[in-house]
């Protein structure tokens, strides 16, 4: 908004106000009496409307509204033709404007016209203050002239502006002082505190509905409303000859001519907080000292003092600050607390007795030592390094004094005195009866917890408690062995344990009846002050696992972590379906069954007390797939079965050997074949002249099913293969597939190949050893009985001049086929092994076209030539003999298996 | 002198404590006034250290005597009241003079001086009540009477000193007189 617009708005506002003021001054039709009234809630209010002539109306045309609600006609009162009054009750809801209005004729657009209106301000008259009291405090060495007063102002809100005025009048001199005050307190200043002058003090409360004065507080002596400072310089004087008294002195806080005071003294021992107040009558005088009596010797005491006007009117001062001092020492005035712990000796018929004690309750100073007397011995002095005695007897320390060995059959007596720097205590005695003659124990013993304390309840011995003089309650912490005891009078049947027991710790509590200083047999119970859930759960271990079960074991939770009596253990098993097993608290191993085999199992154990449970750690393991021994049984069964099968098979073979042989002819194992006397290991024979003759020896395999004469084949194939086999010096049987194999002449067993006619002595011919000369048309020479040695590899071109020789194969394996017969003559070569069972069947070989077979064999030979070591050139292919005779004696092609006589049989 | 006054106070303190009676309160008030006067005198001595070794010479400013054996207690109280009025007048003159010289101060001496003036007025009213007559309680002294004769500052201080001593004396006399009166009246009441 710019400046010109703002100024325009201001001018418009002023014009409106001027118009309203002008019009109101013109249209004054009447007035209401009274103007701006303050009306009191709960009372009636009457107002009168006076009409002016300008109103042009009569009182009949007038009606009243209050807060826009029309007041009923019944509340109107016509005073005259121009005045009418209305009376309305004032309530807390009443408010707003009371209007005198005129009814206009219907022709007027605005049918109602306000003659006059007044605003009603409602409220309550002031309430009378009550409980007025005043206090004058000390200021320096005088009483302050400014007196503070307080009062109760009333409970309701009077809703109007209210003033409080505090008045103080010295009536003797008729001098009044006043001060504006707060709603409930105020100060009035007298200039000088009007000691010993009569005073009147009151409070005036005023608002527009009235004024009220409190009751006048009449004070005969203003000093009686004084609150002084606390006494100063409080001091305690300890006097050595008075061990049970302390002299307390102080100084008055204000001169006695101003206020005469009385005092109040209280004291307590340090740390107790239980104040003992000296009877007020003892300190009513204005003395500034007092002697406290019947105190405890050698004890620190705290003293405080306060004061007030000696008449008892007025106010106590605050307590003075703590003043502490110690009463002098005195000799012990009570017996030491003598007790013992009996430790049975193992193996011996004796007891070890640990004598212990506590300082006397009234030690009256630091105990410096004890005098002890065991049995009838002399008094022995046992100095102790005692600490400051605490005023609370519960905290007296146990002092182990002496240890004695006492036979079970002997009774013992102990006497004890305590001494401090001032003197000796009364004597305490304790008797230990024979083990077999201990007086009876209490009849029953139980414990319970109440208000955070452990209570022990017992019944006297069955024989009657006549001999019992007192009871000793002894408690021992099971976890750490800490022990303590307390004594109870003979008439007590229950008592709280006064020691500082700890929660969640197990205590063994024993009650010993005492018979005139002799201990009776104890009765013991174990208990907790408060139980809780165990701090940790059991740690479970797996002792054994099976197929469907597992044996678990766990250790008991350590005592300091049990925190309560174990009520049970719960075993949780999770291996598929989760389940739990609850076992007794004395169980530490358990066999869980019903588990699935070969499955992971998770096990944990939860220990429970009455206050809660705690889980242990999880243990995972797998159940076995087989039960122990099951695998062995299976293996044994399988082995037995296999053995049975073998036996059965062997038996079958034995009985059905012929049939088997038909189906599965025996195959000679080349690895087991040997060529006797034909080994390069005989160099002397290689040098013999015969070797030159046998220089070209070939091993020819003869297919037993191949009826074709090898000789013929050789003759036919020689020209083709000659070059190939020039380098081959020897050929071997089936087993001679390697260059390293020993070259020998194969000797076949003639029994195979269906040649049943020559079985008795015949041997299948595995190979034919043919002298190279024979191959070349020369007549083979007869062989000696002994196998021919293999010829040394002759130099090239020397084979033609060598005499043919024969070698015999000792292999038991049949010669599967004779390929050499198809090779070129004059060449010796090695063939890679072939198994005729897998290569071709006899029938197949017969049906095969010879040309194809030859081609195939040629291919095989080519392959063999790649694998076999080449012999020197000039080596000749051996020529098979008897090529025209089949194994069965029929003529035909040269059979592969050449039946031959045992031993040396001439071939070809 | 202070020691003697302390002994007197202790003696009085050993007496029966002031009751809530008028005589008792008046007696206690007189003792309090005496203490205030003593305190004021000490403060003045501290302030005017030159006067500590001086003893004012001359007669009493208020020439009245309560020691006559023929006087009854009431008559002694009446004389006392008269003497206290003169003391009140002297104190007013003293205050007027000091305020003229040093202005209106608010030190400890001035506070004690005001306290003495107020308590002296209280005691005058109390003795008037005890006398049960329409005695005047206004200060009975024209300041010009004595002050005019004082020459110089030292003389003025000596006069002030004498006035304070006079106040202390008459406060003490009032204390004892009223205490006797209180004792007599309490004794009569007990007999009744």
């Amino acid at each position: 908004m710019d400046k010109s617009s703002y100024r325009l708005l201001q001018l418009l506002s002023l014009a409106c106000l001027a118009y309203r003021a002008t019009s109101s001054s013109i249209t004054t039709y009447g007035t209401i009496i009274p103007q701006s009234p303050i009306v009191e809630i709960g009372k009636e209010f009457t107002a009168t409307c006076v009409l002016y002539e300008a109103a042009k109306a009569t009182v009949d045309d007038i009606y009243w509204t209050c807060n826009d609600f029309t007041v009923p006609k019944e509340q109107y009162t016509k005073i005259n033709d121009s005045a009418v009054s209305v009376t309305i009750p004032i309530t807390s809801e009443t408010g707003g404007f009371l209007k005198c209005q005129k009814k206009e004729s219907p022709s007027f657009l605005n049918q109602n016209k306000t003659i006059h209106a007044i605003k009603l301000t409602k409220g309550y008259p002031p309430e009378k203050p009550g409980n007025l009291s005043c206090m004058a405090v000390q200021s320096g060495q005088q009483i302050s002239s400014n007196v503070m007063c307080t009062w109760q102002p009333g409970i309701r809100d009077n809703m109007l502006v209210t003033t409080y005025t505090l008045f103080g009048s010295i009536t003797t001199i008729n001098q009044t002082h006043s001060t504006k005050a707060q709603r409930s307190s105020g100060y009035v200043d007298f200039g000088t505190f009007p000691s010993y002058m009569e005073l009147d003090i009151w409070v005036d409360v005023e608002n527009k509905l009235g004024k009220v004065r409190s009751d006048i507080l009449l004070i005969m002596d203003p000093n009686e409303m004084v609150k002084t400072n606390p006494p100063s310089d409080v001091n305690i004087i300890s006097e050595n000859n008075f061990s049970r008294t302390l002299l307390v002195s102080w100084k008055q806080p204000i001169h006695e001519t101003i206020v005469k005071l009385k005092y109040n003294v209280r004291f307590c021992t340090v740390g107790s907080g239980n104040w003992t107040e000296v009877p007020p009558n003892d300190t009513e005088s204005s003395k500034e000292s007092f002697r406290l009596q019947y105190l405890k010797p050698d004890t620190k005491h705290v003293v405080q003092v306060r004061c007030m006007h000696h008449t008892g009117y007025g106010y106590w001062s605050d307590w003075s600050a703590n003043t502490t001092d110690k009463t002098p020492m005195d000799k012990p005035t009570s017996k030491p607390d003598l007790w013992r712990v009996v430790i049975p000796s193992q193996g011996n018929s004796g007891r070890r007795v640990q004598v212990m004690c506590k300082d006397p309750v009234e030690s009256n100073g630091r105990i410096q030592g004890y005098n002890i007397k065991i049995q009838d011995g002399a008094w022995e002095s046992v100095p102790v390094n005692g600490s400051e005695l605490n005023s609370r007897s519960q905290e007296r320390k146990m002092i182990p004094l002496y240890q004695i060995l006492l036979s079970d059959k002997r009774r013992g007596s102990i006497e004890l005195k305590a001494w401090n720097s001032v003197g000796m205590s009364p004597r305490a005695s304790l008797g230990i009866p024979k083990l077999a003659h201990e007086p009876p124990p209490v009849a029953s013993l139980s414990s319970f917890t109440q208000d955070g304390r452990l209570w022990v309840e017992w019944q006297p011995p069955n024989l009657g408690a006549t001999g019992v003089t007192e009871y000793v309650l002894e408690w021992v912490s099971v976890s750490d062995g800490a022990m303590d005891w307390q004594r109870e009078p003979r008439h007590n049947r229950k008592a709280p344990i006064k020691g500082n027991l700890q929660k969640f710790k197990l205590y063994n509590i024993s009650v010993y009846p005492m018979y005139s200083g002799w201990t009776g047999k104890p009765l013991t119970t174990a208990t907790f002050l408060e139980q809780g859930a165990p701090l940790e759960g059991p740690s479970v271990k797996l002792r054994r696992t099976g197929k469907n079960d597992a044996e678990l074991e766990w250790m008991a939770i350590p005592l300091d972590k049990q925190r309560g009596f174990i009520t049970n253990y719960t075993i949780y098993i999770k291996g598929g379906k989760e389940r739990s097993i609850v076992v007794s608290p004395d169980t530490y191993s358990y066999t869980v069954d019903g588990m699935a085999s070969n499955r992971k199992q998770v096990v944990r154990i939860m220990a429970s007390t009455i206050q809660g449970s705690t889980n242990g750690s999880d243990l995972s393991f797998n159940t076995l797939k087989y039960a122990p021994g099951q695998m062995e049984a299976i293996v044994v069964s399988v082995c037995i079965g296999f053995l049975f099968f073998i036996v059965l098979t062997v038996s079958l073979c034995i009985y059905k050997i012929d049939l088997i042989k038909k189906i599965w002819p025996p195959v000679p194992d080349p690895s087991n074949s040997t060529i006797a006397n034909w080994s390069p290991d005989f160099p002397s024979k290689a040098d013999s002249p015969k070797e030159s003759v046998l220089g070209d020896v070939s091993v020819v395999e003869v297919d037993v099913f191949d009826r074709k004469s090898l000789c013929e084949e050789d003759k036919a194939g020689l020209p083709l293969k000659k070059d190939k086999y020039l380098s081959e010096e020897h050929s071997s049987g089936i087993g001679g597939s390697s260059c390293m194999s020993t070259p020998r002449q194969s000797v076949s067993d003639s029994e195979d190949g269906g040649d049943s006619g020559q079985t008795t002595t015949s041997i299948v011919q595995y190979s034919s050893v043919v002298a190279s000369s024979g191959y070349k048309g020369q007549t083979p020479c007869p062989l000696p009985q002994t196998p021919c040695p293999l010829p040394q590899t002759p130099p090239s071109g020397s084979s033609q001049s060598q005499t043919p020789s024969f070698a015999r194969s000792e292999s038991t394996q049949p010669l599967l086929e004779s390929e050499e017969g198809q090779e070129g003559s004059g060449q010796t070569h090695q063939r890679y092994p072939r198994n005729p069972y897998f290569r071709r069947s006899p029938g197949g070989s017969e049906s095969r076209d010879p040309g194809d077979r030859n081609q195939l064999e040629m291919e095989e030979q080519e392959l063999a030539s790649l694998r076999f070591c080449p012999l020197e050139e000039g080596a000749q292919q051996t020529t098979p003999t008897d090529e025209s005779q089949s194994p069965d004696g029929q003529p035909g092609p040269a059979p592969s298996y050449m039946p031959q006589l045992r031993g040396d049989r001439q071939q070809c | 002198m202070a020691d003697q006054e302390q002994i007197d106070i202790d003696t009085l303190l050993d007496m029966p404590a002031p009751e809530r009676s008028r005589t008792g309160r008046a007696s206690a008030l007189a003792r309090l006034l005496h203490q205030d006067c003593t305190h004021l005198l000490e403060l003045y001595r501290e302030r005017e250290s030159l006067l500590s070794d001086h003893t004012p010479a001359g007669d009493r400013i208020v020439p009245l005597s309560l020691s006559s054996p023929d006087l009854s207690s009431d008559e002694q109280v009446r004389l006392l009241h008269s003497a206290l009025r003169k003391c009140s007048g002297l104190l007013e003159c003293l205050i007027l003079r000091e305020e003229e010289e040093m202005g209106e101060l608010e030190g400890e001496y001035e506070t004690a001086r005001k306290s003495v003036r107020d308590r002296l007025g209280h005691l005058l009213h109390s003795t008037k009540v005890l006398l049960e007559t329409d005695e005047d309680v206004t200060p009975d002294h024209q300041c010009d009477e004595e002050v005019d004769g004082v020459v110089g500052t030292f003389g003025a201080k000596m006069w002030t000193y004498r006035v304070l001593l006079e106040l202390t004396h008459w406060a003490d006399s009032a204390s004892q007189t009223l205490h006797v009166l209180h004792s007599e009246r309490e004794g009569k009441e007990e007999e009744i």
Side-chain angles (χ1 to χ4, degrees), chain A residues 674-685:
Chain A
T674 57
I675 300 177
N677 300 326
W678 191 17
S679 170
D681 297 330
F682 297 93
S684 58
K685 293 182 179 179

PDB file of all heavy atoms in Angstrom, chain A residues 674-685:
ATOM      1  N   THR A 674      55.267-117.583 -24.280  1.00  0.00           N
ATOM      2  CA  THR A 674      56.732-117.538 -24.300  1.00  0.00           C
ATOM      3  C   THR A 674      57.213-118.310 -25.516  1.00  0.00           C
ATOM      4  O   THR A 674      56.554-119.218 -26.044  1.00  0.00           O
ATOM      5  CB  THR A 674      57.315-118.188 -23.037  1.00  0.00           C
ATOM      6  OG1 THR A 674      56.847-119.509 -22.956  1.00  0.00           O
ATOM      7  CG2 THR A 674      56.926-117.414 -21.781  1.00  0.00           C
ATOM      8  N   ILE A 675      58.309-117.920 -25.983  1.00  0.00           N
ATOM      9  CA  ILE A 675      58.974-118.672 -27.063  1.00  0.00           C
ATOM     10  C   ILE A 675      60.275-119.194 -26.519  1.00  0.00           C
ATOM     11  O   ILE A 675      61.177-118.420 -26.182  1.00  0.00           O
ATOM     12  CB  ILE A 675      59.229-117.787 -28.276  1.00  0.00           C
ATOM     13  CG1 ILE A 675      57.913-117.260 -28.808  1.00  0.00           C
ATOM     14  CG2 ILE A 675      60.006-118.545 -29.351  1.00  0.00           C
ATOM     15  CD1 ILE A 675      58.075-116.310 -29.967  1.00  0.00           C
ATOM     16  N   ALA A 676      60.236-120.424 -26.333  1.00  0.00           N
ATOM     17  CA  ALA A 676      61.405-121.023 -25.701  1.00  0.00           C
ATOM     18  C   ALA A 676      62.615-120.913 -26.621  1.00  0.00           C
ATOM     19  O   ALA A 676      62.514-121.080 -27.846  1.00  0.00           O
ATOM     20  CB  ALA A 676      61.125-122.504 -25.412  1.00  0.00           C
ATOM     21  N   ASN A 677      63.717-120.595 -26.053  1.00  0.00           N
ATOM     22  CA  ASN A 677      65.006-120.528 -26.710  1.00  0.00           C
ATOM     23  C   ASN A 677      65.036-119.571 -27.891  1.00  0.00           C
ATOM     24  O   ASN A 677      65.814-119.705 -28.821  1.00  0.00           O
ATOM     25  CB  ASN A 677      65.444-121.918 -27.202  1.00  0.00           C
ATOM     26  CG  ASN A 677      65.561-122.878 -26.064  1.00  0.00           C
ATOM     27  OD1 ASN A 677      65.937-122.509 -24.956  1.00  0.00           O
ATOM     28  ND2 ASN A 677      65.226-124.137 -26.337  1.00  0.00           N
ATOM     29  N   TRP A 678      64.079-118.656 -27.794  1.00  0.00           N
ATOM     30  CA  TRP A 678      64.094-117.670 -28.906  1.00  0.00           C
ATOM     31  C   TRP A 678      64.009-116.284 -28.311  1.00  0.00           C
ATOM     32  O   TRP A 678      63.018-115.629 -28.238  1.00  0.00           O
ATOM     33  CB  TRP A 678      62.911-117.957 -29.820  1.00  0.00           C
ATOM     34  CG  TRP A 678      63.019-117.172 -31.098  1.00  0.00           C
ATOM     35  CD1 TRP A 678      64.068-116.565 -31.624  1.00  0.00           C
ATOM     36  CD2 TRP A 678      61.950-116.995 -31.991  1.00  0.00           C
ATOM     37  NE1 TRP A 678      63.801-115.990 -32.812  1.00  0.00           N
ATOM     38  CE2 TRP A 678      62.458-116.255 -33.072  1.00  0.00           C
ATOM     39  CE3 TRP A 678      60.629-117.441 -32.064  1.00  0.00           C
ATOM     40  CZ2 TRP A 678      61.678-115.920 -34.186  1.00  0.00           C
ATOM     41  CZ3 TRP A 678      59.901-117.080 -33.176  1.00  0.00           C
ATOM     42  CH2 TRP A 678      60.400-116.325 -34.220  1.00  0.00           C
ATOM     43  N   SER A 679      65.107-116.044 -27.872  1.00  0.00           N
ATOM     44  CA  SER A 679      65.117-114.759 -27.172  1.00  0.00           C
ATOM     45  C   SER A 679      66.385-114.034 -27.479  1.00  0.00           C
ATOM     46  O   SER A 679      67.445-114.654 -27.626  1.00  0.00           O
ATOM     47  CB  SER A 679      65.006-115.001 -25.651  1.00  0.00           C
ATOM     48  OG  SER A 679      65.241-113.794 -24.970  1.00  0.00           O
ATOM     49  N   PRO A 680      66.241-112.791 -27.608  1.00  0.00           N
ATOM     50  CA  PRO A 680      67.475-112.034 -27.839  1.00  0.00           C
ATOM     51  C   PRO A 680      68.378-112.068 -26.636  1.00  0.00           C
ATOM     52  O   PRO A 680      69.489-111.564 -26.660  1.00  0.00           O
ATOM     53  CB  PRO A 680      66.977-110.594 -28.094  1.00  0.00           C
ATOM     54  CG  PRO A 680      65.571-110.539 -27.672  1.00  0.00           C
ATOM     55  CD  PRO A 680      65.061-111.928 -27.618  1.00  0.00           C
ATOM     56  N   ASP A 681      67.870-112.695 -25.567  1.00  0.00           N
ATOM     57  CA  ASP A 681      68.694-112.759 -24.385  1.00  0.00           C
ATOM     58  C   ASP A 681      69.774-113.839 -24.501  1.00  0.00           C
ATOM     59  O   ASP A 681      70.552-114.060 -23.565  1.00  0.00           O
ATOM     60  CB  ASP A 681      67.837-113.035 -23.151  1.00  0.00           C
ATOM     61  CG  ASP A 681      66.861-111.905 -22.907  1.00  0.00           C
ATOM     62  OD1 ASP A 681      67.213-110.747 -23.273  1.00  0.00           O
ATOM     63  OD2 ASP A 681      65.772-112.175 -22.354  1.00  0.00           O
ATOM     64  N   PHE A 682      69.780-114.581 -25.592  1.00  0.00           N
ATOM     65  CA  PHE A 682      70.790-115.634 -25.786  1.00  0.00           C
ATOM     66  C   PHE A 682      71.722-115.250 -26.927  1.00  0.00           C
ATOM     67  O   PHE A 682      71.579-115.710 -28.057  1.00  0.00           O
ATOM     68  CB  PHE A 682      70.117-116.956 -26.132  1.00  0.00           C
ATOM     69  CG  PHE A 682      69.233-117.460 -25.022  1.00  0.00           C
ATOM     70  CD1 PHE A 682      67.869-117.143 -25.037  1.00  0.00           C
ATOM     71  CD2 PHE A 682      69.744-118.218 -24.013  1.00  0.00           C
ATOM     72  CE1 PHE A 682      67.063-117.614 -24.038  1.00  0.00           C
ATOM     73  CE2 PHE A 682      68.922-118.687 -23.011  1.00  0.00           C
ATOM     74  CZ  PHE A 682      67.569-118.382 -23.012  1.00  0.00           C
ATOM     75  N   PRO A 683      72.621-114.439 -26.640  1.00  0.00           N
ATOM     76  CA  PRO A 683      73.482-113.970 -27.720  1.00  0.00           C
ATOM     77  C   PRO A 683      74.377-115.079 -28.297  1.00  0.00           C
ATOM     78  O   PRO A 683      74.736-115.051 -29.479  1.00  0.00           O
ATOM     79  CB  PRO A 683      74.301-112.853 -27.042  1.00  0.00           C
ATOM     80  CG  PRO A 683      74.243-113.154 -25.580  1.00  0.00           C
ATOM     81  CD  PRO A 683      72.969-113.855 -25.360  1.00  0.00           C
ATOM     82  N   SER A 684      74.719-116.067 -27.462  1.00  0.00           N
ATOM     83  CA  SER A 684      75.604-117.128 -27.975  1.00  0.00           C
ATOM     84  C   SER A 684      74.942-117.894 -29.106  1.00  0.00           C
ATOM     85  O   SER A 684      75.571-118.265 -30.088  1.00  0.00           O
ATOM     86  CB  SER A 684      75.996-118.071 -26.845  1.00  0.00           C
ATOM     87  OG  SER A 684      74.801-118.620 -26.283  1.00  0.00           O
ATOM     88  N   LYS A 685      73.613-118.077 -28.938  1.00  0.00           N
ATOM     89  CA  LYS A 685      72.914-118.792 -29.998  1.00  0.00           C
ATOM     90  C   LYS A 685      72.766-117.941 -31.232  1.00  0.00           C
ATOM     91  O   LYS A 685      72.732-118.434 -32.352  1.00  0.00           O
ATOM     92  CB  LYS A 685      71.544-119.234 -29.507  1.00  0.00           C
ATOM     93  CG  LYS A 685      71.659-120.274 -28.421  1.00  0.00           C
ATOM     94  CD  LYS A 685      70.288-120.738 -27.984  1.00  0.00           C
ATOM     95  CE  LYS A 685      70.422-121.798 -26.918  1.00  0.00           C
ATOM     96  NZ  LYS A 685      69.110-122.260 -26.444  1.00  0.00           N
TER      97      LYS A 685
END
